[in-house]
């Protein structure tokens, strides 16, 4: 078990960016346990291992995830599976299972733009993604998540660039490519991930006290992300993503940003592991 733990990494989150991190770690030979909320709100569901929380299993490219209900089940799956997985996904938003798993590293890949109680010392190595963390204070290393020249850069001191509040630019589109729930209510999907939509076309509806409110695309493109139907959304929740590049394959493969962040995490873990002699 000691050898197993030396090669085990816990990743908080299993959304699209966290899935890119998990894939890089698994491909490098690490065994990964993903911790998620019981009802994730991911929109890029076809590239999110968090879908295992709903479906029991999820597959993204060559990485398989299986939902487990206990820490013991997660450890048993790690022990029985080969280095390539499958990845156990456990409902544990507060990371209470860390004491039992005793991983080499903890990676906070929730991308909440703030620290949801990740601290140095929770594992021998703690790596966090994006704003809300200070390297050397909250985590041993912080990974830059803003698109641009420094994407994926490892910070051993200081903080990542602050959250701009504006989605990254893709093919010239930023804020207009992301759809948000205008009111609180239950999601009704009118399209599917991979569908082509026109500007002003209704992508989904939110059904609540305000009635049935349509949410329309601001541009022509491919529906790259769409929250699960039936999800109880609050006003302002991100519920869909329309990609103006119109490449359907992008809906089903790990993004360039997720791969870059995964590379940064992998490099940080290897570098820090060498320093502590793991």
């Amino acid at each position: 078990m000691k050898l197993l733990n030396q090669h085990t990494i816990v990743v908080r989150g299993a959304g699209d960016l966290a899935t890119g991190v998990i894939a890089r770690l698994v491909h490098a030979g690490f065994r990964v346990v993903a911790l998620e909320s019981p009802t994730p709100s991911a929109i890029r569901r076809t590239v999110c291992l968090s879908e295992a929380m709903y479906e029991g299993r999820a597959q993204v490219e060559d990485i398989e995830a299986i939902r487990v209900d206990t820490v013991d089940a997660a450890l048993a799956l790690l022990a029985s599976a080969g280095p390539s997985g499958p990845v156990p996904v456990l409902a544990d938003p507060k990371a209470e299972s860390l004491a039992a798993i005793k991983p080499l590293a903890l990676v906070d890949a929730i991308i909440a733009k703030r620290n949801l109680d990740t601290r140095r010392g929770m594992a021998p190595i703690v790596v966090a993604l994006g704003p809300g963390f200070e390297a050397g204070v909250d985590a041993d290393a912080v990974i830059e998540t803003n698109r641009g020249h420094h994407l994926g850069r490892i910070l051993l001191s200081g903080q990542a660039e602050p959250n701009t509040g504006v989605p990254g630019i893709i093919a010239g589109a930023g804020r207009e490519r992301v759809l948000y729930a205008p009111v609180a209510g239950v999601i009704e999907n009118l399209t599917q991930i991979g569908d082509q939509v026109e500007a002003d076309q209704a992508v989904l509806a939110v059904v609540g006290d305000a009635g049935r409110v349509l949410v329309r695309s601001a541009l022509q493109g491919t529906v790259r992300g769409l929250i699960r139907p039936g999800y109880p959304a609050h006003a302002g929740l991100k519920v869909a993503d329309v990609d103006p590049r119109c490449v359907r394959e992008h809906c089903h493969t790990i993004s360039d940003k997720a791969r870059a962040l995964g590379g940064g995490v992998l490099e940080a873990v290897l570098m820090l592991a060498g320093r502590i002699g793991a």
Side-chain angles (χ1 to χ4, degrees):
M1 186 61 73
K2 181 179 179 182
L3 180 62
L4 174 61
N5 290 347
Q6 287 178 342
H7 292 84
T8 300
I9 296 177
V10 168
V11 177
R12 297 188 72 182
D16 63 311
L17 298 181
T19 295
V21 171
I22 292 168
R24 280 288 178 103
L25 294 172
V26 170
H27 290 155
F30 287 102
R31 299 172 188 264
V32 177
V33 178
L35 308 182
E36 256 295 352
S37 68
T39 54
S41 60
I43 64 169
R44 294 208 57 217
R45 294 179 287 118
T46 49
V47 289
C48 291
L49 294 177
S50 59
E51 282 297 284
M53 294 303 300
Y54 294 102
E55 304 293 341
R57 291 176 178 264
Q59 181 91 27
V60 178
E61 298 187 7
D62 61 340
I63 306 296
E64 181 186 13
I66 296 177
R67 186 188 66 220
V68 294
D69 297 324
T70 65
V71 178
D72 288 343
L75 292 173
L77 182 57
L78 285 185
S80 63
S84 60
V87 173
V89 183
L90 177 66
D92 182 14
K94 295 184 179 180
E96 295 172 336
S97 59
L98 284 176
I101 299 173
K102 298 181 175 64
L104 168 66
L106 170 67
V107 179
D108 188 316
I110 300 173
I111 320 290
K113 312 297 174 63
R114 58 193 177 94
N115 188 347
L116 299 178
D117 199 29
T118 288
R119 307 174 305 280
R120 287 183 79 190
M122 293 177 77
I125 298 168
V126 176
V127 179
L129 275 65
F133 304 94
E134 184 174 353
V137 177
D138 306 301
D140 299 297
V142 171
I143 308 300
E144 178 58 62
T145 57
N146 268 353
R147 292 183 183 273
H149 184 73
H150 297 297
L151 177 65
R153 180 184 180 188
I154 302 168
L155 303 174
L156 298 179
S157 63
Q159 303 179 34
E161 296 174 9
N163 179 26
T164 64
V166 179
I169 303 299
I170 295 179
R175 189 184 300 277
E176 63 271 34
R177 69 180 177 81
V178 180
L179 282 62
Y180 300 90
V183 296
V186 176
I187 297 297
E188 176 190 339
N189 287 346
L190 304 177
T191 58
Q192 297 181 6
I193 293 176
D195 285 354
Q196 302 293 313
V197 294
E198 300 297 325
D200 202 40
Q201 180 176 338
V203 175
L204 59 107
V206 182
V207 183
D209 294 340
R212 185 171 181 266
V213 180
L214 297 178
V215 182
R216 301 178 181 276
S217 175
L219 47 78
Q220 181 185 48
T222 301
V223 179
R224 189 175 68 149
L226 187 63
I227 201 166
R228 289 183 70 87
Y231 193 87
H234 60 77
L237 180 69
K238 183 165 66 173
V239 290
D241 173 7
V242 177
D243 189 336
R245 295 171 294 186
C246 298
V247 180
R248 197 170 189 275
E249 179 190 2
H250 292 175
C251 301
H252 303 282
T253 51
I254 296 170
S255 70
D256 54 346
K257 180 175 181 178
R259 292 186 198 279
L261 296 180
V265 169
L266 175 59
E267 182 182 350
V269 169
L270 293 175
M271 177 176 59
L272 294 169
R275 293 185 180 184
I276 65 175

